[in-house]
Amino acid sequence: MKPLDKLSPAASGALLVLIVSAVFSNVFQNSFHLDDFHTLLYNDHVHSLKDFPAFFTSGKGFSGTPFISGFRPLTVFINALNYRVSQTSPVGYHLVNLLLHLACSFLVWRIAFQLSQIKAVGLLSGFIFSLHPMNTEVVNYISSRSSSLSALFYLASFSAFIQYRRHPRIKWLTLSLLAFFLALLSKEVAITLPLLLISYDFLYQRHLKKREKVGIYFAYGFLVVLFLAVRHYFMTGGGAGGFSSPVSANHLIDAKNIFLGSVYLATQYLRLTFFPYPLTADHPFPKMELGPLLIFCLLFWVLAGLLLFVFRRHKTLLFLTSWFVITLLPVFLLPGMTSLSIFQENRGYLSGGGIVILVAWVLVNLKNQLIKTHPSLNYGFAVFLWLGISLFSYESYLRNQVWKSEVTLWGDAFKKNPASFIACFSLGYGYLGENNLDQALYFFKQSLNLFPPKDYLYYIHNNLGTVYYRQENNQKAFKEYLIAKELSPILPEAHINLALLYLKQGSYKKAAEELDTEMDVNYKHMEQRVLAAVEIERQGGKEAAGPLFLKIFSRLPDLPEYEGLRSLSKNHLKRLSFPMKRSSFSPFPLKKAFKRFNFV
């Protein structure tokens, strides 16, 4: 078995692509999950490139749900391009995610070599990073491509910065700044890059004068300030309106949650990098109380700090540790903002790159020390590394299979964490999608016993109503839809579902009133409204159908995929002799978003 450092760069790269392609060959059969529905499938904004400049001047294109917005314009643009080619087939989306992951792996390889100047360190880093089981989420979970896309430009910017420091040519600085700007437009985590550059200069570029260092930082800092200002403008009403996390009145509690939460998250992400078991779509997150678990985490980092102090002369060790911490800083803020789905594997994607390089650097240096006295260990060490790579490859292949459907993914998560509300709720939704009504009913009811966040109660009761509706238990369905409507009158699903029940009862006026309430432009919802209006007219409710068709027609966006609904509405308006008004409705609704929810 040939050692990695004996392979040519071309052979190593080809081997990496071949192995990664084989390991991830089973992702293309996997379906959409979580945010994929509201950011892709039911997001009309990305279903056309007609208004793509609005992606960069608004936070609304992020989601098809008017109450969810986000300013990641480059990610949204890539999604729109992907949808133009792939439509509703997940194959093309997984292919793009896989290509992004491969590109990031090659950049980790390059940076590892730039830092160490050891060929084997670069190769081993690239192999470990590309095949690590924890990194399977960025390929399987389509919406997590924001993590890999931002990491791609983040790593490219850092690599170009290293090149600029060693060969100070303006082209490298320009390339680094451009890549950094694209990283910012992909995901907010990129704002940490200037701190990483400062850490690199402090440890590797001590010969540079302070004036030479600081001058460059202003360029990166300016991009950060510009990005944050633009994002704030578009997310707080200047351009789009968007979700704003409520700030707790008790800042002391938030500070405690952030501190203890960051200690726990850093420990767990580090553990999963070395020992990626168990992997799950929803990792448990403990209460932020100083119990045995958090005390252990605190002691671990105290010991780690002492170890770093002892080996403070090893700049690579210090820098790669700082890489891990710096790139996790945005994640550390989450425990002070929310209590749901804080710990997701894709959020550790970029930070894991630093630890992977550190592991490769330690292993290669250990091998070089050993073979000086025991040359025969060289091939034994190669066997050890290939066995490790094979084990990671096998585990990644198995992990990909878990992402096949909502039922397999959340069944796995619920098995590993039965106290997880989001796993229980999502498993119910998965069974509902497969029309397994008994199982869906069980898990939706069970989710009510797991202390659901207030914002989720609407969706639980609405989905319970849908289960009862499909079971033809109209009385219970009506009750659940009314509860959902009362919980959140401005969301459309319960109104539409109530309208279908009223229509079933022959109450045309009430059905039309529900359909006319909180009319969003989600294609699925608009199609339901049009078909329901047709049915109201067919059953004799022409007086109720006419004004409803007129309202629907005025709200339908002027986009190609809505043409069928527009034509149908137009024909019925002519038949009912209602005057038609030209639609001036923008595909980017003007409502301010105020909630975030992973919901189809």
Side-chain angles (χ1 to χ4, degrees):
M1 185 171 293
K2 205 168 186 179
L4 279 175
D5 54 355
K6 300 299 181 183
L7 296 173
S8 68
S12 302
L15 182 61
L16 177 63
V17 172
L18 183 64
I19 295 176
V20 170
S21 299
V23 169
F24 288 94
S25 62
N26 58 344
V27 304
F28 301 106
Q29 63 183 337
N30 296 345
S31 62
F32 298 98
H33 300 282
L34 286 169
D35 291 343
D36 296 344
F37 296 101
H38 77 86
T39 60
L40 284 170
L41 287 187
Y42 305 136
N43 184 4
D44 301 320
H45 307 139
V46 302
H47 294 176
S48 171
L49 291 172
K50 180 180 177 181
D51 295 302
F52 84 88
F55 299 158
F56 296 86
T57 59
S58 169
K60 297 173 234 182
F62 179 76
S63 172
T65 302
F67 313 107
I68 303 174
S69 64
F71 192 67
R72 296 176 183 175
L74 186 57
T75 301
V76 174
F77 181 58
I78 297 298
N79 286 344
L81 291 175
N82 212 159
Y83 187 87
R84 186 177 181 86
V85 176
S86 305
Q87 299 295 308
T88 58
S89 170
V91 175
Y93 299 100
H94 287 308
L95 178 61
V96 170
N97 279 22
L98 180 57
L99 292 175
L100 287 173
H101 178 53
L102 262 174
C104 289
S105 300
F106 278 108
L107 282 169
V108 168
W109 175 348
R110 174 176 171 78
I111 291 171
F113 175 72
Q114 287 178 302
L115 293 175
S116 66
Q117 294 298 302
I118 302 174
K119 178 182 172 183
V121 172
L123 287 171
L124 186 57
S125 298
F127 271 85
I128 296 175
F129 186 80
S130 63
L131 299 169
H132 198 289
M134 193 170 77
N135 290 341
T136 55
E137 185 167 289
V138 297
V139 179
N140 287 284
Y141 181 24
I142 295 165
S143 292
S144 71
R145 72 168 45 160
S146 59
S147 293
S148 54
L149 186 64
S150 63
L152 174 67
F153 294 116
Y154 192 107
L155 295 169
S157 178
F158 180 49
S159 178
F161 181 82
I162 295 175
Q163 198 70 12
Y164 171 74
R165 281 307 193 203
R166 294 176 180 177
H167 307 282
R169 298 174 186 170
I170 194 64
K171 68 175 183 179
W172 293 117
L173 179 60
T174 303
L175 181 60
S176 178
L177 287 168
L178 176 60
F180 177 47
F181 182 65
L182 295 176
L184 288 169
L185 296 181
S186 302
K187 193 173 184 179
E188 297 81 356
V189 66
I191 64 173
T192 62
L193 181 63
L195 294 177
L196 189 69
L197 303 185
I198 293 171
S199 176
Y200 172 80
D201 276 348
F202 178 76
L203 293 167
Y204 287 91
Q205 301 293 335
R206 294 181 180 273
H207 65 282
L208 288 177
K209 294 180 181 179
K210 185 177 181 180
R211 185 171 51 189
E212 292 178 284
K213 296 180 182 180
V214 174
I216 298 300
Y217 301 151
F218 277 110
Y220 291 91
F222 172 76
L223 288 179
V224 170
V225 172
L226 177 65
F227 168 74
L228 291 177
V230 171
R231 183 183 184 278
H232 177 76
Y233 176 77
F234 289 133
M235 292 292 287
T236 56
F243 163 73
S244 299
S245 297
V247 179
S248 171
N250 192 338
H251 300 287
L252 204 58
I253 293 178
D254 284 351
K256 185 194 78 170
N257 287 348
I258 289 171
F259 173 70
L260 294 178
S262 62
V263 170
Y264 176 78
L265 286 169
T267 308
Q268 293 305 315
Y269 277 119
L270 189 63
R271 179 187 67 80
L272 285 178
T273 304
F274 286 98
F275 187 74
Y277 310 97
L279 297 177
T280 174
D282 186 54
H283 289 268
F285 194 78
K287 291 183 179 180
M288 293 297 96
E289 298 173 354
L290 205 58
L293 178 61
L294 288 176
I295 290 174
F296 170 81
C297 293
L298 285 168
L299 288 175
F300 171 82
W301 285 106
V302 168
L303 292 174
L306 292 174
L307 188 66
L308 290 172
F309 179 77
V310 171
F311 292 97
R312 61 188 179 277
R313 295 184 181 277
H314 294 271
K315 58 186 178 183
T316 301
L317 174 64
L318 294 177
F319 173 70
L320 293 173
T321 303
S322 72
W323 172 331
F324 175 75
V325 175
I326 287 170
T327 52
L328 278 179
L329 287 176
V331 181
F332 291 161
L333 296 175
L334 290 176
M337 299 166 60
T338 181
S339 61
L340 198 65
S341 298
I342 296 174
F343 189 1
Q344 293 183 356
E345 290 158 19
N346 73 84
R347 290 174 181 155
Y349 185 71
L350 187 57
S351 60
I355 298 301
V356 162
I357 296 174
L358 177 59
V359 169
W361 176 72
V362 170
L363 287 175
V364 170
N365 278 283
L366 181 62
K367 183 205 77 167
N368 291 339
Q369 291 296 323
L370 287 174
I371 63 173
K372 285 181 181 179
T373 53
H374 302 85
S376 60
L377 291 177
N378 191 27
Y379 278 90
F381 204 84
V383 171
F384 168 75
L385 291 181
W386 281 113
L387 283 175
I389 290 172
S390 299
L391 179 61
F392 269 16
S393 300
Y394 177 69
E395 290 299 326
S396 293
Y397 186 85
L398 292 181
R399 183 63 190 161
N400 293 334
Q401 294 178 336
V402 173
W403 288 82
K404 185 176 182 179
S405 70
E406 288 281 84
V407 171
T408 57
L409 177 66
W410 295 109
D412 172 79
F414 189 72
K415 181 180 178 181
K416 293 172 179 175
N417 182 16
S420 168
F421 160 76
I422 193 64
C424 184
F425 171 81
S426 299
L427 187 53
Y429 200 88
Y431 280 120
L432 181 60
E434 295 182 359
N435 212 36
N436 188 334
L437 301 181
D438 291 337
Q439 287 289 77
L441 185 63
Y442 171 80
F443 282 103
F444 283 137
K445 285 185 174 181
Q446 184 69 15
S447 67
L448 285 171
N449 299 323
L450 293 176
F451 308 102
K454 185 179 178 181
D455 293 349
Y456 278 76
L457 287 172
Y458 167 86
Y459 296 99
I460 297 173
H461 287 287
N462 183 69
N463 289 339
L464 279 171
T466 300
V467 173
Y468 288 129
Y469 181 82
R470 293 186 187 180
Q471 291 178 337
E472 298 185 355
N473 190 335
N474 293 336
Q475 186 176 358
K476 285 189 175 181
F478 191 79
K479 179 182 177 182
E480 295 295 339
Y481 288 144
L482 283 177
I483 293 173
K485 176 183 172 180
E486 185 178 348
L487 283 166
S488 189
I490 63 174
L491 293 176
E493 293 86 3
H495 291 288
I496 295 172
N497 291 329
L498 278 170
L500 296 178
L501 274 175
Y502 282 129
L503 183 58
K504 202 172 183 181
Q505 297 171 359
S507 302
Y508 309 127
K509 186 178 180 181
K510 288 185 176 180
E513 287 174 354
E514 293 293 347
L515 291 169
D516 191 23
T517 307
E518 295 304 324
M519 194 174 289
D520 64 339
V521 292
N522 177 291
Y523 180 86
K524 179 182 176 182
H525 295 160
M526 294 306 289
E527 182 182 44
Q528 289 174 322
R529 292 186 182 99
V530 170
L531 295 178
V534 170
E535 189 63 21
I536 289 172
E537 181 191 352
R538 189 187 70 80
Q539 293 186 20
K542 293 184 179 181
E543 292 184 3
L548 180 59
F549 270 121
L550 186 61
K551 181 68 174 292
I552 292 172
F553 184 76
S554 70
R555 300 297 298 265
L556 285 169
D558 188 15
L559 295 174
E561 64 186 286
Y562 287 85
E563 188 56 39
L565 298 181
R566 291 176 64 83
S567 297
L568 185 59
S569 301
K570 187 176 181 179
N571 290 337
H572 281 272
L573 282 169
K574 285 181 177 179
R575 188 182 318 171
L576 295 167
S577 301
F578 265 80
M580 289 171 287
K581 297 179 181 178
R582 181 177 178 82
S583 173
S584 60
F585 191 73
S586 166
F588 292 83
L590 298 177
K591 289 191 175 189
K592 283 192 174 183
F594 67 96
K595 292 181 181 178
R596 183 186 184 279
F597 185 73
N598 297 329
F599 174 73
V600 183

